[in-house]
């Protein structure tokens, strides 16, 4: 079995609250993003882009999320606001994969959106190969136009996912996996 197969068999999402420093930065982060960009991309449209949240950028993003949450939930307690603020503060590196799928004469939107999803998964696998852990999440603010605008997304762009990357603070345990006989069929059999 190759190292790649071993890695794929063992990869497990780790929630952001269980990720800490160190995380990828500098040349290593650049390499991670370059690897993530090597996904199937019908028509070479590059229907996605990256926004990296690290260092002080995480704090600024967290404040945007807290402010908008407070505005949308006027009855929220300070504890609830703080919980929302911390969503982008756990992992040392967070990469927003922005889907910029657009109508095309030949390439369906669905294929472009799938390409953005492939970027998220490839980034997670590459992060594990580099010795980190992570998770691919969205959350309410991934769909909130005010937050998206504050993060620099155009009106026709969406978040495919926030990929949280760091070093796990606890042992990584597996979860129940699908029963293959329940999800696999063979056409014509």
């Amino acid at each position: 079995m190759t190292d790649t197969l071993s890695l794929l068999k063992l990869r497990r999402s780790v929630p952001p609250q269980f990720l800490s420093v160190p995380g990828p930065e500098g040349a290593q982060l650049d390499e991670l993003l370059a690897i993530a960009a090597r996904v199937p991309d019908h028509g070479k449209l590059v229907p996605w882009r990256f926004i990296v949240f690290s260092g002080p950028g995480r704090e600024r993003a967290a404040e945007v999320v807290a402010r908008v949450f407070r505005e949308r939930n006027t009855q929220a307690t300070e504890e609830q606001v703080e919980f929302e603020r911390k969503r982008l503060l756990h992992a040392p590196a967070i990469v927003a994969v922005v889907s910029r799928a657009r109508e095309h004469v030949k390439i369906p939107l669905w294929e472009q959106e799938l390409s953005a999803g492939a970027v998220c998964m490839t980034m997670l696998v590459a992060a594990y190969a580099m010795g980190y852990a992570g998770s691919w999440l969205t959350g309410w603010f991934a769909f909130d136009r005010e937050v998206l605008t504050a993060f620099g997304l155009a009106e026709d762009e969406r978040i495919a996912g926030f990929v949280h990357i760091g070093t796990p603070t606890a042992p990584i345990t597996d979860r129940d996996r699908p029963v293959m006989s329940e999800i696999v069929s063979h056409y014509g059999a």
Side-chain angles (χ1 to χ4, degrees), residues 16 19 23-26 28-34 36-37 48-55 57-58 61 87-88 91-99 116 119-124 127 133-138 141-142 151 153 158-166:
L19 296 172
E25 57 186 8
Q28 191 177 44
L29 180 59
D30 292 343
E31 180 182 24
L32 180 67
L33 298 175
W48 29 259
R49 66 184 181 90
F50 305 117
I51 302 173
V52 177
F53 298 90
S54 61
R58 286 184 322 144
R87 287 185 185 268
L88 292 178
I94 302 166
V95 180
V97 177
V98 177
S99 172
V119 166
C120 294
M121 189 62 205
T122 300
M123 188 180 307
L124 273 179
S135 58
W136 168 12
L137 302 170
T138 52
F141 51 90
F151 288 173
L153 276 73
R158 300 184 319 176
I159 295 287
F162 291 96
V163 181
H164 302 250
I165 306 166

Side-chain angles (χ1 to χ4, degrees), residues 5 12 22 47 67 73 77 112 116 129 131 135 137-138 144 149 161 165:
L5 289 177
R12 167 75 171 91
R67 178 183 55 77
N73 301 278
T77 65
Q112 297 175 53
S135 58
L137 302 170
T138 52
D144 186 284
T149 299
I165 306 166

